[in-house]
Amino acid sequence: MAMRILVVEDEPLIASFIEKGLTAEGHAIEVAGDGPAAVGTFIHAPADLVILDVMLPGFDGFEVLSQIRQFDPLVPVIMLTARGDIEDRVRGLDLGATDYVVKPFAFAELAARVRSHLRTVDRASAASRSDEVVVGDLNLDLRRREVQLDGDGVQLSAREFALLEYLMRHPGQVLSRQQILDGVWGISHDPRSNVVDVYIRYLRTKIGDDDAARIETVRGMGYRLVDR
Ligand code: CA
């Protein structure tokens, strides 16, 4: 099965060697050459697996890893570490790396690790088909953190995504501002704040609901996602 793999490596020769090899195995490869580009690429188009060098310009592989982990706790990340650098390996594993390959490595070894971790992804994605919430033409994929509206991708911030997920898990139900605050922001949030109304407005704009036909305002009560 073809998978999307993000290769984060600043040495062009190594990057292209990995890219060629994995492309030949039938995968779609994206290459990022520094820390910020790696995080940006991953957030824009989450990969099924990440190969991550430690020493990178911008910020290093550990920082890339922790940022990716905030966004996706499950995607397999194989770190490329220097020979003998046990500290790096331990630090990587502590930060949530799935595996590591020691540089210099033979492509066959990396490819075998990639195949092994992609099998896990395959099984997990079969098991998590239920991680999809559908209400009308809105489709929320929790594993990929993606939203589609009538088949088109919608870019949401993490908070907007959480708000939409909350609404979609309670379709047709009137939800008070306090319920939404508790469910999306946590109970520590100031209940007098108008943050719910602000984010409902953001969300309506992003899902083309400026006339509030999908997310209804229920006067004196709160909001309701129309289930149609
Ligand atoms: Ca490097």
Side-chain angles (χ1 to χ4, degrees):
M1 180 177 180
M3 297 278 191
R4 286 182 297 173
I5 299 176
L6 172 61
V7 176
V8 186
E9 170 60 78
D10 59 317
E11 287 159 70
L13 280 177
I14 300 179
S16 88
F17 152 82
I18 298 174
E19 182 181 16
K20 277 182 196 140
L22 292 175
T23 302
E25 303 232 326
H27 301 302
I29 312 302
E30 285 251 37
V31 176
D34 61 51
V39 173
T41 304
F42 188 85
I43 288 173
H44 181 72
D48 297 303
L49 182 142
V50 179
I51 295 171
L52 179 57
D53 188 31
V54 173
M55 298 298 290
L56 294 168
F59 46 76
D60 68 15
F62 298 120
E63 179 59 27
V64 173
L65 176 60
S66 49
Q67 293 201 26
I68 285 178
R69 278 289 171 253
Q70 283 175 28
F71 190 77
D72 184 337
L74 297 177
V75 62
V77 176
I78 302 175
M79 297 203 80
L80 304 177
T81 65
R83 183 174 295 284
D85 212 337
I86 291 169
E87 223 171 89
D88 274 6
R89 266 170 256 164
V90 171
R91 189 169 167 208
L93 294 171
D94 281 347
L95 283 170
T98 316
D99 201 355
Y100 61 86
V101 170
V102 174
K103 277 178 159 183
F105 54 87
F107 179 75
E109 185 193 354
L110 179 65
R113 300 290 178 92
V114 167
R115 278 195 298 275
S116 150
H117 293 297
L118 285 180
R119 276 195 292 275
T120 318
V121 171
D122 223 5
R123 280 196 297 272
S125 78
S128 72
R129 299 255 150 79
S130 58
D131 282 0
E132 216 181 29
V133 188
V134 181
V135 175
D137 50 8
L138 277 169
N139 187 306
L140 194 85
D141 184 329
L142 293 164
R143 201 181 80 81
R144 296 205 170 287
R145 313 294 296 172
E146 281 173 1
V147 176
Q148 293 206 322
L149 173 63
D150 200 13
D152 293 324
V154 180
Q155 297 295 322
L156 298 181
S157 70
R159 190 67 76 182
E160 291 161 354
F161 187 94
L163 174 59
L164 183 60
E165 178 188 350
Y166 189 76
L167 295 173
M168 287 178 71
R169 286 193 182 280
H170 303 88
Q173 195 179 324
V174 178
L175 300 163
S176 70
R177 286 176 181 77
Q178 189 60 52
Q179 278 176 307
I180 297 173
L181 264 183
D182 292 349
V184 179
W185 278 266
I187 48 170
S188 62
H189 210 91
D190 181 356
R192 288 161 303 178
S193 129
N194 68 342
V195 67
V196 171
D197 307 279
V198 170
Y199 271 82
I200 290 278
R201 251 193 335 265
Y202 291 161
L203 202 51
R204 279 177 174 154
T205 304
K206 292 211 176 161
I207 64 172
D209 186 38
D210 295 311
D211 54 355
R214 286 168 196 281
I215 305 175
E216 282 180 354
T217 303
V218 183
R219 199 171 290 278
M221 303 279 287
Y223 294 100
R224 170 169 57 196
L225 182 69
V226 177
D227 183 9
R228 55 178 178 201

